[in-house]
Amino acid sequence: MTAATTTPTSPTKRSGGRPMRERWSKLNRFQQWAVLIPVAAFIYLLPVLNPPILTTEPGYDFSIAMFEVARFALIAIGLNVVVGQAGLLDLGYVGFFAIGAYVAALFTSPDSVLADLPFLVVLPIAMAITMVFGVILGTPTLRLRGDYLAIVTLGFGEIVRLLADNIDPLRGNRGFQDVGAPPGTWSDGSAIFTNTDGKPWYWFCVTIIIVMLILVGNLERSRVGRAWVAIRDDEDAAQLMGVPTFRYKIWAFVIGAAIGGLAGALYAGQLSFVNNQKFDVVTSVLFLCAVILGGSGNKVGVMLGAFVIAYVPLRFLAIAEYKYLIFGMALIVLMIFRPQGLLGARQHLLSYGRRAYQRFLGKGERVSGDSALAGEDRNGGRP
Amino acid sequence: MPALFLAQDPWINFDVQALVEQFWFNTVEGLSQGSIYALIALGYTLVYGVLKLINFAHSEVFIYGAFATWFTFYGLGFRPGSTPDLPLFELIGFLLLALIAAMLISGGTAVVLERVAYRPLRKHKAPRLAFLITAIGASFVLQQIIFLWRGGNAEQAIRLMRPEEVFTIFGASVTNLTIIIVVCSLALMLIADTFINRTRVGRGIRAVSQDPDTATLMGVNKERVIMLTFLVGGVLAGAAALLYMMKIPQGASYQGGFLLGIKAFAAAVLGGIGNIRGALLGGLLIGLFENYGQSLFGGEWRDIVAFVVLILILMFRPTGILGESLGKARV
């Protein structure tokens, strides 16, 4: 990768997180679980524990804040498939999110003329419909690359928003009230899933995140995931080596879209209200911020990024007004000093391959070109 | 049930009669709006030609010019609301003053943007995508500065000039405002085209656009050329901002540049990004399509037309109508 060889940063500095990661992958499965299960338990218990420093109260209900964070993490995982894994810059991801939210609203809200379906049935429907939209958007546009793709997806996001504004059955600004929720009541007869209590929603969302992490993780280690990495790093080379790049790009788009749609449906359910005001491009850029900030291509990284993006404005309400200013500055500074994100993306497979190769050449260990974004550079380091 | 959902009332209607009836009106309107788009599109095209970067923050550069215009008028003692009756000489003087202010502010913003955001990236030899993300970040920052300073509401437009009908063309009235806007934009585009194609600096810009490394070897100061490119783009955006403020009723708002910027970018891509004449052609075409679409489908679909046209064009002609050619233009 040309960008990697011309990057002046020293390799030792670049591989800052390596020992930790290596130690982790040397542990056996049982030891890994021994760490993971308490961590998972802690994550589940967070809204109940309401830890003193972490809490967003009294300004903002902590359980709902945690749901917001979890929702953002889910979105970041979905967008990471598109941006981080396959290297397709998608600025219109909010479109899929919106479609998911609207599907949930259309099928469950009494304001809609469509049949009332249970919320849990609507979730897979929302995923299926967003997948269809992923194909519809992807087929014509994925032949474009880089900046052009970004602009076209941006246009798509705007089209979805403008359609929501203008199509009468989608009720524009009036929106849909009383969007459905999963069934179930506490022992005293009150509903579990309400829009005032974020805890059940948070648990539900975290469970979905864990399932998605397992699914997406398996996908990454499969033939599909390797094809994505190949496309991300050099699309032409991948094509020449017989990877059907177009098909795999569509795959990435569709899977990302499905997760976005799922997150949208959850969002609609928790808020129990959907209208056209919440799906603008700025939201889309915030999603992208989460992925870039944490380190695109790295699942833990993007969840960290999502946590920062969603949590900081809720925790520090005093600076919430400045959040876009701060995110904008953070993006600029980050791109100047650490374009690979806070936790740089490091594709296990690739870095193992490279390390093996370096050892084979007798050059010792040197991991380079980890930046998921480096793959975009087709100009030999020239901007 | 789903059939019933779809059948409710038509979401979109094809009003061919309105299209035919308002054809000339829309043509005049589309040309005057399109020429504003073209001026902004030139900024995108120039920067893309030289840096291969979509300067996402260019719409904010434009909006800074719009605010500069507004504050110039405000500072001169004019207030939103009624249009004053000014003697021609004074009117021209005030407009020139606003034009200079807008050009200075927009050009300055563009140069500062290049210095603060993009130059460090070039030094680090950052990948292409880092530039795009930085541009998005810079766009956020510039937008929020205005937002935190002036709040979310648009400034009421201040008008110095009333549109008056000068002549009619096939029943569509052409106002003095329309004439000024179209003539000014065309003149500026012509000057920009001449500047790029005929002057020494322009030759430098074309050289860097074609091959930055060789251009450097040939004694072109690349950093200076890039700065100048941003300056030219910014100055033109400033001029566009004045014309916009004279024409569009909403006035200046902190996010007012976004949609306009995207449309101008669509115009640049439509004509072939990196191609100066393409920007003009694309701008005029987007303006026309938009207005025809408005008649055909109804006003609320207006903004969608630009995006759909952009997507369609990119699908069938990824390099635009005239193709990329800033670097290949011959003297």
Side-chain angles (χ1 to χ4, degrees):
Chain A
M1 208 64 289
T2 43
T5 48
T6 51
T7 307
T9 333
S10 67
T12 45
K13 199 176 160 195
R14 276 212 147 197
S15 52
R18 277 255 323 278
M20 182 75 184
R21 186 183 298 269
E22 243 173 28
R23 231 176 291 151
W24 172 254
S25 45
K26 269 182 198 150
L27 295 177
N28 62 34
R29 211 57 172 175
F30 178 75
Q31 286 165 315
Q32 288 185 351
W33 282 117
V35 180
L36 276 179
I37 288 173
V39 169
F42 174 72
I43 287 175
Y44 268 106
L45 285 176
L46 255 181
V48 180
L49 293 174
N50 201 349
I53 298 171
L54 214 58
T55 184
T56 53
E57 281 159 8
Y60 200 93
D61 184 75
F62 186 63
S63 63
I64 291 179
M66 288 326 286
F67 170 72
E68 290 289 301
V69 169
R71 173 172 73 86
F72 244 82
L74 183 59
I75 292 166
I77 291 168
L79 187 54
N80 182 43
V81 172
V82 185
V83 179
Q85 291 295 319
L88 307 164
L89 188 64
D90 185 355
L91 284 179
Y93 196 67
V94 73
F96 298 126
F97 180 71
I99 291 168
Y102 268 104
V103 169
L106 279 173
F107 285 113
T108 61
S109 165
D111 290 337
S112 162
V113 291
L114 289 171
D116 264 308
L117 291 176
F119 186 74
L120 291 179
V121 177
V122 170
L123 285 185
I125 296 178
M127 289 177 80
I129 292 180
T130 40
M131 281 172 126
V132 172
F133 274 93
V135 175
I136 292 174
L137 169 69
T139 315
T141 56
L142 283 177
R143 297 181 198 281
L144 301 169
R145 287 188 183 174
D147 300 350
Y148 287 104
L149 181 68
I151 295 298
V152 169
T153 50
L154 181 88
F156 173 75
E158 273 297 275
I159 288 176
V160 168
R161 186 179 70 78
L162 291 166
L163 286 178
D165 279 358
N166 294 332
I167 294 181
D168 271 347
L170 296 182
R171 296 174 63 89
N173 209 0
R174 289 170 299 157
F176 294 92
Q177 307 278 354
D178 299 324
V179 180
T185 50
W186 298 110
S187 52
D188 63 350
S190 57
I192 294 178
F193 289 90
T194 60
N195 60 355
T196 47
D197 184 10
K199 279 184 224 106
W201 286 104
Y202 171 76
W203 291 324
F204 188 41
C205 195
V206 169
T207 312
I208 289 179
I209 287 177
I210 291 174
V211 173
M212 284 301 156
L213 279 178
I214 293 170
L215 288 180
V216 172
N218 282 338
L219 212 55
E220 278 171 17
R221 285 184 290 275
S222 72
R223 170 184 288 265
V224 181
R226 276 179 264 176
W228 286 340
V229 174
I231 292 168
R232 182 185 77 193
D233 280 359
D234 192 331
E235 194 176 334
D236 297 316
Q239 178 83 52
L240 284 173
M241 293 314 236
V243 177
T245 52
F246 186 67
R247 196 200 305 163
Y248 284 119
K249 287 202 284 185
I250 294 266
W251 264 110
F253 231 64
V254 166
I255 288 164
I259 298 177
L262 181 63
L266 283 177
Y267 170 70
Q270 195 274 330
L271 209 61
S272 91
F273 176 68
V274 173
N275 76 353
N276 58 5
Q277 295 297 306
K278 296 168 181 94
F279 307 111
D280 52 357
V281 173
V282 176
T283 317
S284 203
V285 175
L286 274 192
F287 295 163
L288 188 69
C289 282
V291 172
I292 303 284
L293 191 71
S296 65
N298 181 330
K299 291 193 294 295
V300 180
V302 298
M303 285 193 286
L304 177 76
F307 178 80
V308 172
I309 297 276
Y311 174 78
V312 169
L314 299 179
R315 170 68 179 84
F316 305 100
L317 285 173
I319 61 159
E321 197 186 346
Y322 301 94
K323 79 173 169 184
Y324 293 117
L325 186 69
I326 294 170
F327 288 149
M329 286 180 181
L331 277 186
I332 297 176
V333 173
L334 194 74
M335 283 302 120
I336 292 173
F337 294 108
R338 208 176 153 78
Q340 72 271 38
L342 295 178
L343 302 182
R346 189 169 289 110
Q347 200 62 35
H348 285 267
L349 211 66
L350 267 195
S351 55
Y352 286 145
R354 276 209 201 93
R355 240 176 291 153
Y357 183 60
Q358 301 287 357
R359 263 192 211 130
F360 173 72
L361 290 178
K363 282 185 184 165
E365 299 230 341
R366 183 175 171 279
V367 177
S368 60
D370 313 302
S371 160
L373 308 175
E376 272 299 308
D377 190 356
R378 299 184 194 293
N379 270 342
R382 176 195 156 201
Chain B
M1 274 310 245
L4 197 141
F5 169 71
L6 289 172
Q8 270 195 322
D9 32 21
W11 327 324
I12 183 164
N13 48 332
F14 295 90
D15 196 346
V16 180
Q17 199 194 348
L19 180 69
V20 175
E21 272 172 12
Q22 300 172 6
F23 182 80
W24 288 106
F25 171 76
N26 282 330
T27 307
V28 172
E29 192 68 3
L31 285 179
S32 80
Q33 254 159 29
S35 53
I36 296 179
Y37 292 148
L39 275 183
I40 308 173
L42 207 64
Y44 283 103
T45 268
L46 282 172
V47 169
Y48 189 89
V50 170
L51 280 185
K52 295 280 174 287
L53 153 75
I54 294 176
N55 184 10
F56 226 81
H58 192 64
S59 51
E60 272 62 49
V61 169
F62 163 81
I63 267 308
Y64 274 51
F67 271 91
T69 309
W70 192 86
F71 276 105
T72 312
F73 289 161
Y74 195 85
L76 288 170
F78 299 105
R79 293 292 175 269
S82 61
T83 315
D85 266 317
L86 290 172
L88 185 66
F89 185 68
E90 268 182 51
L91 177 70
I92 292 175
F94 289 148
L95 287 182
L96 272 182
L97 211 62
L99 181 70
I100 291 169
M103 281 178 159
L104 278 180
I105 296 289
S106 282
T109 311
V111 171
V112 168
L113 178 74
E114 194 270 325
R115 271 289 162 98
V116 174
Y118 301 141
R119 187 172 290 188
L121 285 184
R122 282 207 305 280
K123 240 179 232 159
H124 285 233
K125 297 215 191 315
R128 282 272 301 283
L129 218 56
F131 278 83
L132 190 63
I133 306 281
T134 304
I136 293 172
S139 157
F140 263 19
V141 171
L142 290 174
Q143 216 177 70
Q144 288 301 307
I145 290 174
I146 290 272
F147 175 71
L148 294 172
W149 179 38
R150 301 298 302 175
N153 295 330
E155 306 290 355
Q156 290 286 303
I158 299 177
R159 311 223 170 277
L160 297 194
M161 224 181 128
R162 220 171 273 129
E164 274 159 28
E165 187 178 301
V166 178
F167 61 90
T168 57
I169 173 167
F170 299 104
S173 68
V174 179
T175 61
N176 49 2
L177 210 58
T178 309
I179 295 173
I180 290 180
I181 288 172
V182 173
V183 169
C184 280
S185 324
L186 288 182
L188 281 166
M189 300 285 292
L190 198 69
I191 292 171
D193 193 58
T194 317
F195 177 74
I196 300 293
N197 282 329
R198 295 270 183 271
T199 64
R200 215 178 130 78
V201 178
R203 199 190 302 157
I205 291 177
R206 281 180 290 131
V208 172
S209 164
Q210 195 166 21
D211 186 341
D213 296 332
T214 313
T216 313
L217 288 178
M218 296 300 178
V220 177
N221 185 342
K222 191 174 133 196
E223 294 298 314
R224 207 174 123 243
V225 162
I226 290 173
M227 197 197 79
L228 273 168
T229 314
F230 271 86
L231 184 67
V232 173
V235 162
L236 290 172
L242 173 69
L243 300 177
Y244 172 85
M245 291 298 277
M246 283 165 71
K247 177 181 169 62
I248 311 289
Q250 299 92 316
S253 111
Y254 77 104
Q255 52 184 0
F258 175 76
L259 208 56
L260 205 76
I262 294 290
K263 282 183 195 165
F265 176 76
V269 173
L270 189 63
I273 193 159
N275 186 320
I276 293 179
R277 287 162 200 178
L280 176 64
L281 180 68
L284 295 180
L285 282 180
I286 287 274
L288 289 174
F289 281 144
E290 207 177 72
N291 278 284
Y292 295 148
Q294 185 176 15
S295 283
L296 189 58
F297 305 120
E300 68 271 27
W301 296 98
R302 178 195 173 91
D303 293 333
I304 295 188
V305 175
F307 295 120
V308 172
V309 168
L310 173 68
I311 291 176
L312 287 178
I313 294 287
L314 280 180
M315 268 164 58
F316 293 109
R317 238 190 114 77
T319 49
I321 297 173
L322 298 183
E324 295 180 31
S325 83
L326 185 62
K328 291 175 187 76
R330 297 277 169 265
V331 181

